[in-house]
Amino acid sequence: MTGAQLKILALTAMTLDHVGAVLLPQVRLLRMVGRLAMPIYCFLLGEGLRHTRSLPRYLGRLLALALLSEWPFDLAFSSGVNWGYQNVFFTLVLGLTALALVRTGRRGAWIGAAGLAMLAHSLHTDYGWYGVVLTLLLGSRADRTITAAGMALLTLSAFGFSIQLWALAALPLLWSYHGEQGRRLGFWTYLYYPAHLLLLGGLAI
C-alpha cells in the first residue's frame, strides 16, 4: 500500500467518523470505522518527516491549517466558538515537533517530547497527549510486536476499554505500507479538513 492510498483511507475514515459524531450519533459503526484515521495520520507524519526538505515549512503548513480549521471545527462540534477544545491539527503540530526532537538524539529530547505531550493536554487539543505519544510510537517504525503492544497499552491507559480500541485495526494497514509515496494528491487533502467541517457544521445547524 502506498502513502497516497493510506491518506485516502484516513480521509474516508475521518469523514465517516465526523458524519457519525455530528449528524448520526446513533450509528456506532461510523465512529468505529473512524478510529482508523488518527493512527494513519500519525504514521504518515513520521513518513513526511523522513522525506521533507524543510521541517519549518512542513510545520508551518500544519500550523496554518490548524488556525484555518479552528472555527470550522468549533462550528461542527460545538455549534459556535469553543476556546476549550482545539482541532487535531494542533495535536499533529505538537506530535511532529516531538518526533523531530527525538530524532535528533540530543540529550533531553525525550523530556522535551514529554513536555509537548503535556502541552497538548493543557491546550485540550483533539486527542491531546495521546495523539503526541501515538505519533512518537508510530513514527518510530519500531518492531511490529512492540508497536502493537505499545499502542494497546497506550490506548487502554488513555481511553480504557472503549471504542478507541478499534484504532488497533489500523496496524495491519500500516504494515502493508511498502515505502512508496504513490500518486501525489496535492494540497486539497489538507484543505478538505476545514471544508468538510464547515459543511457538517452547516448541516447540523
Side-chain angles (χ1 to χ4, degrees):
M1 185 168 285
T2 66
Q5 289 170 334
L6 282 174
K7 186 173 288 188
I8 290 172
L9 275 173
L11 281 172
T12 303
M14 177 189 70
T15 302
L16 293 174
D17 183 48
H18 291 168
V19 168
V22 177
L23 302 177
L24 300 170
Q26 71 278 13
V27 184
R28 187 174 174 84
L29 179 61
L30 295 174
R31 306 305 310 280
M32 292 165 62
V33 174
R35 298 312 93 205
L36 299 176
M38 189 60 176
I40 296 176
Y41 281 125
C42 291
F43 175 80
L44 290 176
L45 271 187
E47 294 306 299
L49 180 59
R50 282 187 178 88
H51 297 104
T52 187
R53 295 177 181 176
S54 173
L55 177 60
R57 281 191 296 193
Y58 190 10
L59 283 169
R61 288 196 300 269
L62 291 179
L63 182 58
L65 281 161
L67 296 172
L68 178 65
S69 302
E70 188 57 24
W71 186 75
F73 180 80
D74 288 349
L75 179 67
F77 294 105
S78 304
S79 301
V81 176
N82 179 4
W83 298 105
Y85 193 43
Q86 323 309 326
N87 73 77
V88 75
F89 268 103
F90 287 105
T91 311
L92 296 179
V93 167
L94 295 172
L96 179 60
T97 304
L99 185 60
L101 184 61
V102 166
R103 285 189 182 176
T104 65
R106 295 175 183 170
R107 183 178 300 177
W110 281 102
I111 295 175
L116 290 166
M118 290 301 98
L119 180 59
H121 177 73
S122 299
L123 293 175
H124 303 289
T125 65
D126 197 16
Y127 284 100
W129 67 268
Y130 171 84
V132 175
V133 178
L134 187 63
T135 301
L136 291 171
L137 176 64
L138 297 180
S140 67
R141 278 196 179 186
D143 175 82
R144 291 184 179 184
T145 301
I146 293 174
T147 299
M151 186 172 170
L153 289 172
L154 174 64
T155 304
L156 283 170
S157 65
F159 298 97
F161 288 95
S162 69
I163 193 174
Q164 188 60 34
L165 283 173
W166 283 97
L168 292 167
L171 289 176
L173 299 173
L174 302 182
W175 292 335
S176 71
Y177 173 69
H178 48 64
E180 294 182 8
Q181 182 179 2
R183 180 182 177 184
R184 289 187 175 275
L185 299 178
F187 201 65
W188 72 267
T189 56
Y190 290 96
L191 294 179
Y192 178 83
Y193 181 76
H196 91 284
L197 289 177
L198 272 178
L199 177 61
L200 289 175
L203 289 173
I205 291 173

